[in-house]
Amino acid sequence: MTALPEVRRRRTGLMVAANVLALAALGGMTYAGVTALRNYEGATKVSVESTKLPVTPTAMLATVDADDTLTTITVLVLSPGTQVGGSIVSVPASSDSTAGGAEVRVPLTQIYAEGGVDALAQAVESVLSVTLDRSSVVAPDELEALLQPVAPIAVELPADVVGADSDPLFDAGPVNLTAAEAARVFTAVSDTQTDAERRGNVQALWGGVASSVGAGRTSPEAASPLADTATMPEFIERLFAGPVQARGLPANPVPVDEVPEGVDVDELDRAEAIFVLASVASASMSAPSPGLVFRIEAPPGTEERVKVAVAAVLYLGGNVQSVTLGGETFPETRILVADESLTEEAESNNAYFGTTVTRLADPPIEGIDVILQLGTEFLDGQGDALPSTTSTTEST
């Protein structure tokens, strides 16, 4: 599945959650501020030369058991530049595909059961605001073949692995798994376990895969960049050829009164999901909301406060395209706009970020309206309480 860059900005899917996720933390945002950011009328008119975000091919690898029941969803991202090695992002299969934007919660497992791989891929793209270059759903034997290069896999399982007949397959604790055994863990589901209860094993096993890859376990022949026609085995061969990082996305229980009887569904932590994917797959992120498109920069060690900033931008109707924790340290937050015409819109909610300085981005980044360089005044803050509605602002 592919999408041209211009298509990404038009995708809306099921992104109602962009205005829902941070309500608890940011409920005091003023209507005027939200309206200002929503009145974005196309801020990509940049006449100066701009830089480009590095290409990072993406793929969705989903697994099913012998009965074709969806068991896991994983987004794979190749590293920029060499496109060797990369990131493994485990997505809860029970995630609400409506992102809280509908009266009836529909988990991704149900999307696959009713619509197959194409429907699942579209739902994952919508929920995560990411464009997938290819998507596959694999059965246990196919998964075993994909994992063979990294076996055996050392992992500490946080919970017992239970099969379809409620039979214990593996006990919690440290274990070395063959490729076939790892495939059994990834595809084991039981009526006695919710997705949340088995999620820890899935995330731990992907962590074991990343550790097993080390500096690289495969030697792909294809030269960079990865061909558009590359198959999932070829994609994973590139992934396992260099260092890999693995991370699972968190999901929270849905209120009991919002869960249909007998449905296993959770609410994805959208701010963290966007934070993670915008960090590793910036060029593949889409912009479903009508607001400005942001890149957020901050120094290392500031992950939690950066996630707060991501939640704020999403709540205000904006889009987060890129995140980096390799930024410089500034006392004030710097708002770097791609064009002077964006200044008023970019500053409309700057009170939340404390003292700000607005400048032209030099050079701007293609597809990015605002580079938000978070200052220590915001990064050293505590909690999610809103500051005063007034702030000190300079435009230079």
Side-chain angles (χ1 to χ4, degrees):
M1 299 183 58
T2 60
L4 296 174
E6 60 266 30
V7 175
R8 294 173 183 163
R9 293 185 61 83
R10 299 199 299 269
R11 287 178 179 262
T12 56
L14 304 171
M15 291 295 95
V16 177
N19 296 326
V20 177
L21 171 77
L23 281 175
L26 305 172
M29 289 291 184
T30 63
Y31 175 78
V34 174
T35 301
L37 205 51
R38 286 185 176 279
N39 285 338
Y40 173 58
E41 296 179 351
T44 57
K45 300 176 182 178
V46 181
S47 57
V48 298
E49 185 176 351
S50 59
T51 61
K52 293 185 177 181
L53 294 169
V55 174
T56 50
T58 60
M60 181 195 76
L61 176 67
T63 63
V64 294
D65 65 6
D67 296 323
D68 199 34
T69 299
L70 184 69
T71 61
T72 70
I73 302 170
T74 309
V75 174
L76 310 175
V77 184
L78 296 183
S79 294
T82 62
Q83 297 182 7
V84 169
S87 300
I88 298 172
V89 182
S90 179
V91 182
S94 59
S95 297
D96 175 22
S97 64
T98 74
E103 293 183 4
V104 178
R105 304 277 190 156
V106 181
L108 292 173
T109 49
Q110 183 177 336
I111 294 293
Y112 174 73
E114 296 177 354
V117 60
D118 289 341
L120 176 63
Q122 291 172 11
V124 170
E125 286 187 317
S126 182
V127 170
L128 300 179
S129 293
V130 69
T131 297
L132 299 170
D133 297 314
R134 54 189 51 77
S135 302
S136 293
V137 175
V138 297
D141 57 339
E142 297 171 294
L143 181 60
E144 177 185 350
L146 293 176
L147 296 174
Q148 199 66 53
V150 296
I153 303 167
V155 59
E156 181 155 354
L157 300 171
D160 293 342
V161 180
V162 181
D165 298 324
S166 299
D167 296 329
L169 301 179
F170 301 96
D171 294 332
V175 63
N176 284 314
L177 300 174
T178 65
E181 290 171 335
R184 291 179 70 189
V185 174
F186 279 128
T187 59
V189 290
S190 171
D191 292 338
T192 63
Q193 281 187 326
T194 63
D195 184 71
E197 291 171 327
R198 58 184 297 275
R199 192 176 303 150
N201 286 337
V202 172
Q203 295 178 356
L205 185 48
W206 277 126
V209 168
S211 296
S212 181
V213 171
R217 294 288 292 273
T218 57
S219 300
E221 296 180 1
S224 295
L226 184 71
D228 291 339
T229 56
T231 64
M232 183 61 73
E234 290 172 333
F235 187 99
I236 290 181
E237 186 180 25
R238 295 287 287 266
L239 181 69
F240 290 166
V244 172
Q245 58 180 339
R247 180 165 182 163
L249 299 181
N252 304 309
V254 173
V256 176
D257 59 349
E258 297 181 21
V259 180
E261 185 176 355
V263 175
D264 182 13
V265 59
D266 295 293
E267 187 167 5
L268 187 70
D269 186 329
R270 180 164 166 73
E272 179 145 351
I274 298 300
F275 165 81
V276 170
L277 288 166
S279 298
V280 300
S282 297
S284 297
M285 298 299 288
S286 58
S289 297
L292 300 169
V293 179
F294 284 76
R295 170 180 168 90
I296 299 178
E297 299 180 357
T302 57
E303 179 173 318
E304 293 307 313
R305 291 299 290 171
V306 172
K307 284 189 285 188
V308 172
V310 170
V313 171
L314 296 179
Y315 176 77
L316 294 168
N319 304 277
V320 178
Q321 177 89 25
S322 175
V323 172
T324 178
L325 294 180
E328 299 180 58
T329 300
F330 304 105
E332 72 288 334
T333 292
R334 298 189 175 190
I335 299 174
L336 309 182
V337 294
D339 187 89
E340 289 182 348
S341 64
L342 304 179
T343 300
E344 183 177 352
E345 297 169 54
E347 291 181 345
S348 61
N349 291 282
N350 58 5
Y352 182 66
F353 299 105
T355 302
T356 63
V357 174
T358 303
R359 298 174 178 171
L360 277 175
D362 184 22
I365 301 174
E366 185 175 305
I368 301 294
D369 300 319
V370 180
I371 301 174
L372 188 66
Q373 297 177 327
L374 298 173
T376 54
E377 182 179 335
F378 172 81
L379 294 172
D380 293 342
Q382 300 296 320
D384 300 328
L386 290 173
S388 168
T389 55
T390 61
S391 66
T392 303
T393 303
E394 302 174 22
S395 295
T396 59

